[in-house]
Amino acid sequence: MKKLTEHWNEIYKKSENENLGWYEDDFSQTLKILNLIPTWKESKIFVSGVGTSGLVDELLQSKADLVLNDLSSEAIEKLKLKYLDKDHRIEWLCQDISQPLPTDLKEIDIWMDRAVLHFLTDEVSIQQYFKNVTSSLKVGGYAIFAEFSKKGATKCAGLNVTRYDIQDLQANLLSFKCIAEEEYTFINPKGDPRPYIYALFKKMK
């Protein structure tokens, strides 16, 4: 199989945002979870696997500063062109989220993962991912997850996925408290249902 970087770069190079299988123009579910955090509009938010998501538009309507990360340099470059005038509020990062984050990355208030974690399938990568979540978040900070649920598909974008329930997430977040959880079914552009688990955790220590 191609390296993951090549796999994702090819997808974002060939496809416009509206033609992606995970494209959405309604971010109400994410915002519903985000709005449970009283101070989110003044926070520093790390978006893992941002892709070319229009969610960035919604986040930039607030006073939040963003760290936008993706494995695909094609996706990052597309976003950079779109948000040239907002560059002072955005820190760009292009790296594998299952590898240690840069040591100069300042602590963040909110970690947001919308369908990234479930693409990690080996235990070493999964554990390093959760180390990144724990080490980068301030005490009192929040982590939002939206992952394929145990009822969800076993593959996405031609790749195998790891499906989650709330117990799986909590088992990897021992210093966190679950604040909210919800099952949600996303209908993709082809009309197919994709069951997700949405969860909000707070770092307690």
Side-chain angles (χ1 to χ4, degrees), residues 20-88:
L20 296 170
W22 51 90
Y23 171 74
E24 61 179 337
D25 57 9
D26 178 3
F27 303 101
S28 57
Q29 178 63 21
T30 296
L31 293 173
K32 175 183 175 182
I33 300 296
L34 193 55
N35 282 327
L36 295 175
I37 305 172
T39 59
W40 83 262
K41 293 184 178 180
E42 292 81 37
S43 296
K44 184 172 183 178
I45 304 174
F46 185 103
V47 184
S48 171
V50 65
T52 52
S53 175
L55 176 64
V56 177
D57 290 327
E58 300 282 349
L59 299 178
L60 287 172
Q61 290 181 28
S62 72
K63 296 179 181 178
D65 291 320
L66 309 179
V67 181
L68 301 182
N69 176 70
D70 203 277
L71 181 64
S72 168
S73 58
E74 288 285 342
I76 291 294
E77 289 306 314
K78 283 186 176 183
L79 282 187
K80 281 185 176 181
L81 288 174
K82 184 176 180 181
Y83 297 112
L84 285 174
D85 62 330
K86 299 290 194 303
D87 204 51
H88 62 289

Side-chain angles (χ1 to χ4, degrees), residues 8-187:
W8 290 110
N9 276 336
E10 186 172 310
I11 287 175
Y12 284 110
K13 188 173 184 178
K14 290 183 176 180
S15 302
E16 293 301 320
N17 199 27
E18 295 79 4
N19 295 327
L20 296 170
W22 51 90
Y23 171 74
E24 61 179 337
D25 57 9
D26 178 3
F27 303 101
S28 57
Q29 178 63 21
T30 296
L31 293 173
K32 175 183 175 182
I33 300 296
L34 193 55
N35 282 327
L36 295 175
I37 305 172
T39 59
W40 83 262
K41 293 184 178 180
E42 292 81 37
S43 296
K44 184 172 183 178
I45 304 174
F46 185 103
V47 184
S48 171
V50 65
T52 52
S53 175
L55 176 64
V56 177
D57 290 327
E58 300 282 349
L59 299 178
L60 287 172
Q61 290 181 28
S62 72
K63 296 179 181 178
D65 291 320
L66 309 179
V67 181
L68 301 182
N69 176 70
D70 203 277
L71 181 64
S72 168
S73 58
E74 288 285 342
I76 291 294
E77 289 306 314
K78 283 186 176 183
L79 282 187
K80 281 185 176 181
L81 288 174
K82 184 176 180 181
Y83 297 112
L84 285 174
D85 62 330
K86 299 290 194 303
D87 204 51
H88 62 289
R89 293 177 54 195
I90 300 173
E91 184 176 344
W92 301 99
L93 189 60
C94 183
Q95 79 151 69
D96 183 344
I97 203 61
S98 69
Q99 298 299 312
L101 293 173
T103 55
D104 60 351
L105 179 67
K106 295 180 181 179
E107 283 188 318
I108 58 175
D109 302 299
I110 300 170
W111 176 286
M112 181 179 291
D113 181 317
R114 299 171 69 255
V116 177
L117 169 61
H118 63 221
F119 282 111
L120 304 181
T121 56
D122 68 273
E123 193 60 27
V124 173
S125 296
I126 291 169
Q127 289 307 309
Q128 181 57 58
Y129 170 95
F130 281 108
K131 284 182 182 179
N132 286 339
V133 176
T134 301
S135 64
S136 61
L137 268 175
K138 297 176 180 178
V139 173
Y142 295 85
I144 296 173
F145 299 95
E147 315 300 337
F148 277 13
S149 78
K150 291 294 178 73
K151 302 174 184 176
T154 57
K155 299 190 76 168
C156 180
L159 300 172
N160 293 327
V161 299
T162 303
R163 298 176 296 174
Y164 285 86
D165 58 24
I166 197 66
Q167 289 77 22
D168 295 327
L169 293 171
Q170 184 69 78
N172 287 287
L173 295 163
L174 298 180
S175 60
F176 289 71
K177 178 181 179 181
C178 182
I179 303 299
E181 61 171 294
E182 183 177 350
E183 292 186 359
Y184 175 78
T185 300
F186 168 64
I187 306 300

